[in-house]
Amino acid sequence: MQSYLCDMQEWPESADTYHVRDPRVMKAVAHPLRVRLLGALRVDGPATATELAAKLGESSGSTSYHLRQLARYGFVEEDPEQRDARERRWRAVHQYTAWSELELGGTSEGREVAGFMRDRQTEVLLANRRSFERDRDSWGPEWIEAAGMSDHLARLTPASITALYARVQELIREMEAVDAADPAAERVMLHLAAFPIRGYDL
């Protein structure tokens, strides 16, 4: 699985992705405040503990402690381009976190932290939807028409799902390159999930 803010099959190795294989490392980020701190740094860029505290409604002492814990496990680091020697700015080391459900699922601890991260992804999806609905009139007709969700029912093998994730990732990067210089481009949160079902039970 892969997550911008905080899973599916193993994604190709790349410099912008942190592949977590140790449940203890995943547990370090699977904390309600730490995963929000990491997400904020990935989305909005480097920030101090004080700035993050104000943004997330936490104390600077708490954000400072949890940033140090994230740094200990390689998720964040001090920003080498410090604007002020008197303040410590932090940045995310990677854009994505990836893990293997099979590897982490070998222990109860691994299953627990992977489940937390899946729940967090769902929370982010719902928050994105609520935010768009709240501000939809400010986006204009093109964005109102383009934004949304869809679901599909398909008969696929695990290998095909893995290939689908890879194809979608490639396509996203292609589209990013096409739109890189377009002033109409905005940051867009894309979500992709696939779970096998044996019947309709919703």
Side-chain angles (χ1 to χ4, degrees):
M1 299 291 284
Q2 174 161 307
S3 175
Y4 185 81
L5 300 180
C6 10
D7 70 342
M8 295 309 175
Q9 310 303 319
E10 277 296 316
W11 293 75
E13 297 286 345
S14 62
D16 66 351
T17 303
Y18 187 176
H19 290 261
V20 179
R21 294 180 170 85
D22 186 338
R24 292 170 298 180
V25 175
M26 183 63 83
K27 189 174 182 179
V29 73
H31 176 283
L33 179 53
R34 290 177 199 168
V35 76
R36 292 173 66 210
L37 288 167
L38 181 58
L41 291 174
R42 286 177 172 173
V43 173
D44 296 325
T48 66
T50 301
E51 290 169 340
L52 290 165
K55 180 181 296 185
L56 302 180
E58 300 285 342
S59 71
S60 58
S62 180
T63 55
S64 180
Y65 169 77
H66 288 293
L67 284 165
R68 290 196 302 272
Q69 293 303 305
L70 286 170
R72 176 183 176 189
Y73 289 95
F75 289 97
V76 305
E77 65 184 5
E78 289 191 40
D79 186 2
E81 299 179 8
Q82 298 285 348
R83 297 187 307 201
D84 186 333
R86 295 170 297 178
E87 65 180 7
R88 177 185 289 183
R89 297 184 70 77
W90 298 91
R91 72 175 185 178
V93 178
H94 310 89
Q95 282 293 99
Y96 300 94
T97 302
W99 65 91
S100 164
E101 289 284 338
L102 193 59
E103 286 182 355
L104 290 187
T107 66
S108 59
E109 181 182 48
R111 288 190 294 273
E112 181 181 352
V113 296
F116 172 87
M117 295 298 276
R118 283 195 303 272
D119 288 345
R120 176 60 184 163
Q121 288 174 305
T122 304
E123 291 168 3
V124 170
L125 168 60
L126 292 175
N128 292 157
R129 188 193 68 79
R130 287 193 295 264
S131 177
F132 177 76
E133 291 300 330
R134 183 185 65 239
D135 301 329
R136 64 181 289 132
D137 292 340
S138 70
W139 283 105
E142 295 86 359
W143 280 109
I144 290 174
E145 182 66 22
M149 298 170 60
S150 65
D151 54 74
H152 304 269
L153 181 62
R155 191 173 178 84
L156 300 171
T157 64
S160 291
I161 293 171
T162 301
L164 177 62
Y165 284 128
R167 290 270 297 276
V168 169
Q169 188 180 43
E170 290 172 7
L171 186 57
I172 291 170
R173 288 180 171 167
E174 287 176 18
M175 292 300 180
E176 279 189 301
V178 169
D179 293 345
D182 193 327
E186 299 279 359
R187 290 186 301 190
V188 177
M189 185 66 70
L190 302 167
H191 298 264
L192 180 64
F195 295 98
I197 61 171
R198 290 197 169 92
Y200 190 81
D201 60 358
L202 300 178

